[in-house]
Amino acid sequence: MKTSEPDAQTPHDNSAPTWSTARRRWLFATVAGAAAATGAGLSWWQAKPGDASTTTGTLPFWDMAFPTPDGDNMAMRVFAGKPLLLNFWATWCPPCIEEMPLLDRFYAESSINGWQVLGMAVDQVSAVKRFLAQTPVRFPITLAGMSGVELSRSLGNSGGGLPFTVVFDRSGRITQRKIGQVKLQDLQEWRTLP
């Protein structure tokens, strides 16, 4: 009895993609690419400087006050009138910890030109105190706790990730935002801002 092998064109052969399989793959790749491009564009739009909703100089941020690790309260109004680099960080965030010495050097070198740096910890007071005892910084630190995530979102950090840095000019307007670790090149560019 003679048995016949399936023909290469029969539906039982799964080795070659059919037109509908290739079309589905192409469609999936196109949709994935469009979604990635949309996400990247949205992130850029939300993080770009000059956003009218956050550059009015009348942000609620300037009316806020936050506790310090020592138990005092620090009003954000004391930073008005000079450029301010505001850095949201946490002790459990490795990139945050890595950028702290760089931010401290920036503060030491640029404070004579009016620059201010403020670290806003999205963390518990005990963890921040332990960290600062081992790695002191010269710039002030405040404690925002988990409410710091919402504050950072209101300043343009849509994902709420850390570290997040905002640069305010002398008039209190946001001129720069950076989600992720600050690099020396960022600081050099920001230092030249009016």
Side-chain angles (χ1 to χ4, degrees):
M1 182 172 181
K2 186 175 177 183
T3 60
S4 63
E5 294 183 18
D7 184 34
Q9 299 298 321
T10 63
H12 301 293
D13 183 12
N14 293 331
S15 62
T18 63
W19 166 247
S20 63
T21 303
R23 195 167 123 204
R24 270 187 252 132
R25 286 181 185 158
W26 176 84
L27 182 61
F28 177 76
T30 302
V31 169
T38 301
L42 180 60
S43 292
W44 174 84
W45 180 80
Q46 289 177 332
K48 72 183 183 348
D51 182 348
S53 66
T54 57
T55 60
T56 62
T58 59
L59 285 172
F61 169 77
W62 298 109
D63 295 327
M64 296 179 168
F66 296 92
T68 67
D70 298 330
D72 295 328
N73 257 354
M74 183 172 289
M76 298 301 98
R77 197 175 304 267
V78 302
F79 297 100
K82 295 180 180 177
L84 171 65
L85 185 151
L86 174 64
N87 180 259
F88 291 86
W89 68 285
T91 59
W92 44 263
C93 164
C96 300
I97 301 308
E98 288 176 27
E99 72 182 4
M100 286 299 254
L102 184 62
L103 294 175
D104 193 48
R105 273 195 313 278
F106 174 79
Y107 175 73
E109 295 169 358
S110 302
S111 61
I112 59 171
N113 295 325
W115 272 93
Q116 307 169 99
V117 175
L118 174 63
M120 192 163 286
V122 181
D123 212 327
Q124 297 180 354
V125 65
S126 58
V128 172
K129 282 184 172 183
R130 276 193 308 272
F131 173 80
L132 293 175
Q134 295 173 353
T135 314
V137 294
R138 292 169 272 200
F139 57 88
I141 300 289
T142 59
L143 302 163
M146 291 313 292
S147 65
V149 173
E150 286 308 311
L151 176 58
S152 76
R153 284 187 175 138
S154 75
L155 296 173
N157 183 5
S158 60
L162 294 176
F164 175 63
T165 304
V166 180
V167 176
F168 296 92
D169 67 11
R170 294 177 194 281
S171 67
R173 293 179 30 168
I174 294 175
T175 59
Q176 298 292 320
R177 293 183 186 99
K178 174 149 184 167
I179 299 171
Q181 188 173 347
V182 170
K183 304 293 184 194
L184 180 60
Q185 180 180 351
D186 299 320
L187 296 174
Q188 290 170 339
E189 289 174 12
W190 298 344
R191 186 180 280 143
T192 62
L193 295 173

